[in-house]
Amino acid sequence: MTTISAAGSTLTQQLYQKLFDRLNIDGDDALTLDEISAVDAGNTKVSKAFETFDADADGRVTRAEMTPADTFGADTLNALIQAQSGSESISDQEYLADWFAQTDTDSDGLVSRSEREAAADLRRAAAYDAGYRSDRVVMARLGSDRDQPLSIDDFVAGRMRTLQPTQVSSLSPERQAEIRQLMESLRSDPAQAPPADDEPLASPEQIAADRAERASGPAGTARFLSREIEGLRAAEAARIAAAPMSDALAARLFQQALNSWTPSRDGQQAVAETRA
């Protein structure tokens, strides 16, 4: 089976390494129940999660037990990104409701900027590890204050589509303004943004080849170009290493671990389940 990795480990794995380091207060390279409980105080599932992570039942969770497998098969990566991007069979409104429920880590009915950034971090890691991104997008509605916590009514979900300039110019000014806002909101997140304009000096043959490569991913996705993906992964790895881990990101990783990871049968390493 084909495997994909970035600099010897995936970005998703790098995020879990940072979560482990954040929780490992005493620095002994193993987590106790009290240390794991700190990420989601009051969660009744924490003790069950500890048992799940503690594959060899020795009362400690090691770095290997907390971290997904070193390499992922293509099928597993497909499941990961589909879990991040949503099933093809659900409507945009259903996808938005699912995204909002996962993003609202404190269940207060609002998503803060920190919670939205945590969701974007997970989406980028999954997309870059997989080598393609979903065409599903979520954006704040026109006029929303993105620095403030927002309700589900402040968002809209949809799919990215390529529009010709003549199609855009024929739209109403209000619709054109919405499209401009969408482009601005997505431009800072390559894992969700539309592909960049073709290189101005590229030949027609190269442009056609690039478009074919972008279209070669699973249904409902766009593949990153082979010449750009390693640079994107390297830049994201550096960003993850430098950025402090927020409470919201720690909570999302813990939540994802509960939902998506299970100990391997030999009790030595955590592996990804392949269901979306």
Side-chain angles (χ1 to χ4, degrees):
M1 179 181 290
T2 301
T3 60
I4 304 171
S5 64
S9 64
T10 67
L11 295 167
T12 301
Q13 186 180 37
Q14 186 179 352
L15 287 172
Y16 274 92
Q17 293 285 327
K18 288 205 73 168
L19 175 61
F20 184 94
D21 290 336
R22 174 188 168 117
L23 297 177
N24 189 28
I25 298 172
D26 58 14
D28 65 351
D29 220 34
L31 302 178
T32 64
L33 176 58
D34 287 342
E35 286 175 320
I36 285 185
S37 297
V39 75
D40 199 358
N43 188 336
T44 57
K45 296 181 179 179
V46 168
S47 60
K48 181 62 177 176
F50 186 85
E51 294 175 5
T52 299
F53 297 143
D54 184 16
D56 58 6
D58 67 348
R60 308 184 325 150
V61 174
T62 65
R63 188 177 293 274
E65 289 172 326
M66 186 71 174
T67 308
D70 288 333
T71 57
F72 296 99
D75 291 342
T76 299
L77 281 173
N78 181 56
L80 281 174
I81 196 168
Q82 290 301 327
Q84 288 289 321
S85 62
S87 168
E88 290 297 301
S89 64
I90 66 174
S91 68
D92 290 339
Q93 196 59 36
E94 290 171 320
Y95 171 68
L96 175 60
D98 182 65
W99 174 88
F100 192 89
Q102 292 185 56
T103 304
D104 182 17
T105 54
D106 59 9
S107 301
D108 66 349
L110 299 170
V111 292
S112 65
R113 180 170 181 170
S114 179
E115 287 173 324
R116 297 195 300 273
E117 289 173 347
D121 288 344
L122 290 178
R123 183 182 59 247
R124 274 195 304 274
Y128 291 162
D129 284 342
Y132 49 83
R133 60 170 179 79
S134 171
D135 66 0
R136 293 264 196 179
V137 293
V138 172
M139 64 170 287
R141 291 184 181 277
L142 190 65
S144 299
D145 186 349
R146 299 177 195 170
D147 291 328
Q148 299 300 317
L150 301 176
S151 74
I152 192 171
D153 294 331
D154 294 314
F155 294 96
V156 61
R159 294 179 182 275
M160 291 301 304
R161 292 291 183 263
T162 301
L163 295 177
Q164 300 300 323
T166 54
Q167 292 176 288
V168 176
S169 62
S170 66
L171 298 174
S172 68
E174 293 78 11
R175 187 58 176 160
Q176 291 185 43
E178 290 178 353
I179 292 174
R180 285 194 295 272
Q181 184 199 25
L182 170 63
M183 297 301 295
E184 287 298 323
S185 67
L186 299 181
R187 192 164 287 130
S188 62
D189 185 0
Q192 182 169 252
D197 292 337
D198 295 306
E199 296 178 20
L201 300 181
S203 67
E205 293 78 12
Q206 183 62 60
I207 292 173
D210 288 350
R211 289 176 177 170
E213 184 177 2
R214 289 188 181 115
S216 65
T221 71
R223 187 174 295 280
F224 296 106
L225 297 179
S226 55
R227 66 172 181 268
E228 69 183 2
I229 185 58
E230 290 307 322
L232 291 171
R233 286 171 176 161
E236 183 64 9
R239 190 198 68 80
I240 291 173
M245 177 167 287
S246 68
D247 291 342
L249 180 54
R252 277 301 301 273
L253 284 166
F254 185 76
Q255 183 182 84
Q256 181 168 280
L258 285 175
N259 295 338
S260 305
W261 308 109
T262 185
S264 62
R265 294 185 182 276
D266 60 14
Q268 295 180 354
Q269 179 110 355
V271 298
E273 290 182 341
T274 56
R275 67 172 185 268

